[in-house]
Amino acid sequence: PFLQKGDIVLDGGNAHFEDTERRQEELSRSGIQLIGCGISGGEKGARYGPSIMPGGKSEIYPEVREVLETIAARDPRGNPCCTYIGPGGSGHFVKMVHNGIEYAEMQLIAEVYHLLSRQFSYSEIADLFEQWNKGDLSSFLLEITVRILRKKEGRDEFLLDQILDEAGNKGTGGWSVKAALDLGSVNSMMGAAVFARYRSSDPIRKRLGAERTISGGPEHIASTGEIDPNVLENAYRFARIINHYQGFELLRQASNTYRWHLDLSDLSRIWTNGCIIRSALMQQCVSWFADAETILDLPDVREELHGLEADVSSVILRGHENRVPLPAFSTAWNDWVSMTTGQLPANLIQAQRDSFGAHTYLRRDDLEGKPHHTNWEADD
């Protein structure tokens, strides 16, 4: 009742992009425009400037541009971390994927912390993370993790030891995984991070009871593999590149499907400050997407990942030896190896599908030919 024709509504919440598009259509019948405005930055962003991702009709954006760009954070060149994303619910979709990337980034750091804690103190892990944060691995999330690891309650007790190991979520990570499934985009790292949070929500008494049954308690877990921080650093570097590749691939495929024409380089730029996933790697993405459609189109990146492959394998082995689950690291390695393997076992799956459902298959010696079907029960 307080709105009239010509008014503009900005929705700055974590709305689902399909809800945003529905609301845009409903409001437009009354001559009211809605901009789905993704916002990231947390408490500091609210006070000092967030990253802002507005989406809606392009002709409406100029009317709100000055307000949004004035309050946004600034990138390294002093430009506002705000840009017109695209039509429809693209702004909220982009923010949703931002949160999915964030889920995986947090999970990777948690897995590194979990593995290192088998061998190092919180203070030593904090010192290591602080060192990493001075180079190409620097990020807002790593920065705050250093402070968390050093925070004490009273004089001698670390606050982290008193925090229940049950991670909450508000749904955006799950939305991202569902969107990836809908679009046929491989986003296994987001999925691993979301499911890890779900698993942490199992009742703690149930998990502790199972641990005692399986291993006799945490004090009886045999640590058979020494953890090399340098190897772990390389594995972390590898997994972060795969996470960003998967996240931006989801954005690229959504852009093509919904005809949003997303500019991934400019999108990376507005994520270089103000938002939770700001990092040196995100700054690198700005130039990467100026030169290539996807991160793995760049030969130097592919070569770097190939060179780090052995370190990731070593870290996953250390996890097994120390009974530390590493779902995000494992799925990063699996996806990379799957992408760079010429012969996958899907030929057997396709044969099974044809055997029980006559779904047909293509032949390697006739890739452009017609589908084939075999009577698998017939004698040759």
Side-chain angles (χ1 to χ4, degrees), residues 34 62 91 94 104 144 181 183 196 202 227 229 231 240 286 290 353 359:
L34 173 71
V94 164
I144 66 172
L181 291 171
L183 292 164
D202 286 351
I227 300 159
V231 172
R240 292 191 68 222
V286 178
R353 294 179 72 242
H359 292 289

Side-chain angles (χ1 to χ4, degrees), residues 111-120 128 132 223-233 314-315 317-319 321-322 324:
E111 291 178 16
V112 172
Y113 145 76
H114 194 180
L115 189 57
L116 285 173
S117 65
R118 288 283 190 260
Q119 189 173 315
F120 300 96
L128 180 63
W132 290 3
S223 177
T224 59
E226 290 295 311
I227 300 159
D228 185 337
N230 294 321
V231 172
L232 187 53
E233 178 183 355
S314 177
V315 165
L317 178 60
R318 296 291 86 78
E321 291 172 339
N322 288 277
V324 171

Side-chain angles (χ1 to χ4, degrees), residues 308-324:
L308 298 174
E309 199 175 302
D311 288 331
V312 186
S313 298
S314 177
V315 165
I316 294 171
L317 178 60
R318 296 291 86 78
H320 291 169
E321 291 172 339
N322 288 277
R323 204 167 187 272
V324 171

